[in-house]
Amino acid sequence: MTAKTEQDNAVLDRIIGERRTCRTFTQKIPPDEMIDSIIHAGLHAPFAASAIGSTDDYFRRFVVVRKGSPAMTELIPLVFNEVVAMAGELERAAAKNAQLREQAAGFMNRLATIKNIGMVPGVGTAPFYIVAAEKKGFPPVEQQSLSHCMENMWLKATALGLGFQLVSVTAQMADNPGFCRITGLEHGKWAYMGCAIGYPAEKLSPSIRPSAREVTAWPE
Ligand SMILES: Cc1cc2nc3c(=O)[nH]c(=O)nc-3n(C[C@H](O)[C@H](O)[C@H](O)COP(=O)(O)O)c2cc1C
């Protein structure tokens, strides 16, 4: 390895290790330039070229919603109500299906907690809530593309010393006309994923995982 490669490698390993889910943010507002650079990182993530096909319109978009803005005030109840509706549907389905009840227990608990606290963590709890949108294509791999996009954004936010929280319920908002009106993207044509970004309120330890050797098979 050259000295530069070694240095790059060490920096990348450190950032990967420091990437954590941040769930509490300070009031301090990151500069817009930082948000631009995080979006730049998201744009450089891979995309499913053959699924998207040729399109005149760029297939990846971002919507930045500031805490306290009129758009945020409108979004908070929209997203909360979606979670409440989702919880209700799941409860009804689980009441009739023991396997689903067992499988979905953790997720149902999470939805119940959100219902109890009366808000969706990440929507209005950080200085920025960012929605990333990927145009729907065939096969429908938009959520996979958005995951790559989010991971690049997450690593960039980590490198900038910012906290990052995935807000995965954002995916369910793709069919919500009120939400789509706020994003300005045509209803039904886009898939969504979201994240909250701000300065972390507490220092998180680097992530703890098993060693690669523990979880890897190398068949001959
Ligand atoms: C598909 C997916 C969805 C997630 N959704 C949320 C979410 O909505 N809210 C949240 O706080 N964390 C969410 N997370 C974060 C995970 O809970 C977190 O990555 C995991 O607990 C490991 O912690 P770490 O990120 O600090 O290493 C999600 C992660 C993934 C991969």
Side-chain angles (χ1 to χ4, degrees):
M1 263 201 245
T2 65
K4 184 181 175 301
T5 312
E6 232 169 85
Q7 202 183 10
D8 286 352
N9 190 38
V11 170
L12 183 61
D13 277 350
R14 185 169 54 76
I15 293 167
I16 288 173
E18 285 178 3
R19 180 222 54 80
R20 290 296 314 279
T21 294
C22 175
R23 295 194 171 93
T24 47
F25 300 88
T26 68
Q27 297 293 328
K28 189 175 164 194
I29 300 169
D32 288 0
E33 293 69 29
M34 280 193 181
I35 301 301
D36 286 339
S37 72
I38 291 169
I39 289 172
H40 175 82
L43 278 169
H44 280 270
F47 57 90
S50 57
I52 282 149
S54 62
T55 163
D56 297 336
D57 200 17
Y58 202 66
F59 52 81
R60 185 169 288 168
R61 299 296 181 87
F62 299 85
V63 180
V64 180
V65 188
R66 291 177 196 277
K67 186 177 183 174
S69 64
M72 184 70 92
T73 307
E74 239 188 290
L75 281 180
I76 290 170
L78 277 181
V79 182
F80 179 71
N81 290 339
E82 189 69 38
V83 170
V84 172
M86 201 168 33
E89 270 171 44
L90 193 55
E91 276 160 27
R92 281 190 292 280
K96 294 185 249 159
N97 182 334
Q99 198 190 345
L100 177 66
R101 217 162 35 243
E102 197 186 315
Q103 254 181 351
F107 186 58
M108 283 168 70
N109 278 342
R110 175 88 187 123
L111 295 180
T113 307
I114 293 177
K115 255 168 72 174
N116 284 341
I117 59 176
M119 43 86 82
V120 177
V123 185
T125 54
F128 294 100
Y129 169 53
I130 303 180
V131 179
E134 191 90 356
K135 200 164 233 182
K136 290 186 181 175
F138 189 87
V141 290
E142 306 80 49
Q143 281 302 335
Q144 286 93 319
S145 289
L146 285 168
S147 297
H148 293 290
C149 173
M150 284 287 148
E151 180 68 5
N152 262 22
M153 292 169 73
W154 204 333
L155 292 171
K156 180 68 178 176
T158 305
L160 290 168
L162 296 176
F164 183 107
Q165 179 178 24
L166 269 180
V167 184
S168 49
V169 69
T170 309
Q172 319 303 321
M173 303 310 295
D175 295 324
N176 185 298
F179 193 94
C180 295
R181 186 182 44 73
I182 295 168
T183 63
L185 297 169
E186 196 181 340
H187 180 221
K189 293 253 179 320
W190 299 79
Y192 293 146
M193 186 41 70
C195 62
I197 294 178
Y199 288 97
E202 53 178 331
K203 174 126 183 69
L204 300 165
S205 66
S207 65
I208 298 162
R209 300 288 191 269
S211 73
R213 290 278 158 165
E214 273 177 79
V215 295
T216 310
W218 298 61
E220 293 296 326

